Amino acid sequence: LQRKSERSASASALECLEAMEPGGLARHVSQQLTRMLDHVRDVVLREQLADLLVDVEALRTFGAGAADYLKAVASLPVAERWRPLKNEVLAERLRGQSEGYSGGFRELHVAHLVSSLNCLRKGGLKEPDVDLHVEVLQLLADEYILGIKQGAEVAVTVGPAACVVAPLLLAPLLAHCTFVLGCHGIDSG
C-alpha cells in the first residue's frame, strides 16, 4: 500500500513538473477539460467547456498567436473547422510552424470537432444543434471511416482500407457518442 501511494505521489510530482514546462500547463488544462467533458451532462456547460478546449488548444499550438488564429477561423463554418482539408487557416499556420506538416489531424482539429459536436442552436432555447451534430457525424463517418469521397457529381467509395480514423479522434468521439446515447429522448435508429 505504501509503494502504491509513493508511486501516485511521484506521478503527481511528475505531472506538476510537466505542467511547469512551456506548453505543459496548457496540455494539463486540455486533459482536464477533456476529462470534465466525459462527465458533464448539461448541454450549456458542455458547449462552454468545448469552446474553452478550442481556446486552450489554440494557445498550446500557437502561443501568443492564438488570438489571431481564433479571430481568423471565426469566419469558417463550424462544421468545417475540424476538417484538415477545409480549415486552410489552420493548415497554413501549421505549415508555417513546421515544414513536416502533411495535413493530418492535430489536437486543435480534435478540439474543433468536440466543439462542433457540442454546439447549441442559435436562439433563446438552450438545446443541441441536432442538424449540425448529424452533419458532422455524417461527414466523419463518410470521409474518415467509410472512405467515401464526395466529388462534384458523384460520391466515390475509396474503401475503408484507404481511410484510417486518426487515433486522436477516437477518444473524444466515443465519449461524445456515449454522452448522446445516455441522453433522454435520443433516437438511436
Side-chain angles (χ1 to χ4, degrees):
L1 218 58
Q2 185 177 4
R3 286 184 188 168
K4 187 176 181 179
S5 64
E6 288 173 5
R7 277 185 276 189
S8 64
S10 64
S12 297
L14 182 60
E15 286 177 0
C16 289
L17 287 174
E18 288 175 350
M20 289 185 237
E21 293 177 10
L25 183 58
R27 179 179 33 249
H28 180 71
V29 170
S30 176
Q31 290 169 348
Q32 294 306 315
L33 286 170
T34 304
R35 286 182 187 147
M36 281 192 260
L37 275 165
D38 288 347
H39 301 288
V40 171
R41 297 289 175 233
D42 180 70
V43 292
V44 175
L45 183 55
R46 286 183 68 83
E47 181 187 46
Q48 293 170 347
L49 288 172
D51 290 344
L52 185 57
L53 181 63
V54 170
D55 294 347
V56 169
E57 286 299 337
L59 182 61
R60 192 172 152 203
T61 304
F62 300 118
D68 292 335
Y69 165 76
L70 292 170
K71 189 176 179 181
V73 81
S75 63
L76 282 175
V78 175
E80 293 184 1
R81 293 178 192 170
W82 67 272
R83 299 170 67 194
L85 297 176
K86 297 290 184 175
N87 189 342
E88 276 300 314
V89 175
L90 180 54
E92 286 175 20
R93 290 175 187 247
L94 288 173
R95 278 192 291 272
Q97 277 187 339
S98 66
E99 298 297 322
Y101 177 68
S102 62
F105 281 97
R106 296 287 176 98
E107 286 85 355
L108 189 49
H109 290 107
V110 175
H112 281 299
L113 173 65
V114 170
S115 178
S116 66
L117 289 172
N118 287 288
C119 277
L120 299 179
R121 288 189 189 275
K122 304 294 183 228
L125 296 176
K126 297 296 184 185
E127 58 186 21
D129 188 342
V130 178
D131 297 331
L132 178 63
H133 187 267
V134 169
E135 178 185 350
V136 167
L137 288 177
Q138 188 69 49
L139 283 168
L140 182 66
D142 286 351
E143 291 185 17
Y144 299 98
I145 297 173
L146 299 176
I148 299 173
K149 301 295 180 189
Q150 299 294 331
E153 298 171 13
V154 67
V156 177
T157 303
V158 182
C163 187
V164 177
V165 177
L168 288 172
L169 294 177
L170 292 177
L173 181 62
L174 290 174
H176 184 74
C177 289
T178 303
F179 161 72
V180 169
L181 290 173
C183 291
H184 177 72
I186 294 295
D187 178 13
S188 60

